[in-house]
Amino acid sequence: MYIINACLSTTGFHYTLSLISGKYKMTILYTLMEFGVVRFNEIKKYIGSISYKTLSSALKELERDQLVHREEYPQIPPKVEYSLTERGKSLIPILDGMCAWGDQNRL
């Protein structure tokens, strides 16, 4: 295949990147992979540098793309937990690979 005839937007790579790109999406997915079921404030505390608005927005996008499940409990104060969906769990080998690469190549 020649690059002149190729189109990145039709590749699986482009589709995957469209779901996980963004400053914090991969970090959120990693957090859920490592800790399972996690509450909003726990994610915020673990990541640290993310604002409430940015975290909320990223979680909504990940939920929309069916990578993250949001479970809301009808109680006071409200309790909301996040976890990976089966589709989100299918990204674990990619996240594990990134972790392994980072461990091997850290300077």
Side-chain angles (χ1 to χ4, degrees):
M1 175 185 269
Y2 295 100
I3 196 162
I4 230 167
N5 299 322
C7 181
L8 179 65
S9 66
T10 62
T11 65
F13 175 80
H14 182 268
Y15 176 72
T16 304
L17 203 56
S18 74
L19 297 179
I20 63 174
S21 66
K23 187 171 180 181
Y24 293 102
K25 284 185 181 179
M26 290 293 288
T27 307
I28 293 166
L29 292 169
Y30 173 80
T31 303
L32 296 175
M33 178 187 82
E34 284 294 303
F35 300 106
V37 178
V38 185
R39 295 179 71 174
F40 183 92
N41 284 332
E42 292 172 328
I43 298 171
K44 166 76 173 90
K45 186 175 183 179
Y46 182 72
I47 296 174
S49 59
I50 191 170
S51 72
Y52 288 101
K53 181 180 178 183
T54 301
L55 177 56
S56 179
S57 176
L59 284 166
K60 284 178 185 171
E61 289 176 22
L62 290 166
E63 184 182 8
R64 179 199 66 211
D65 293 330
Q66 300 174 357
L67 298 174
V68 169
H69 173 71
R70 180 181 189 270
E71 185 73 35
E72 188 172 350
Y73 297 91
Q75 64 185 54
I76 297 175
K79 177 181 175 184
V80 178
E81 294 178 333
Y82 296 90
S83 59
L84 293 176
T85 61
E86 287 305 311
R87 187 173 193 213
K89 288 176 185 175
S90 70
L91 288 169
I92 288 176
I94 295 169
L95 297 170
D96 282 340
M98 291 177 69
C99 291
W101 189 91
D103 288 340
Q104 293 167 2
N105 292 281
R106 186 178 299 151
L107 300 177

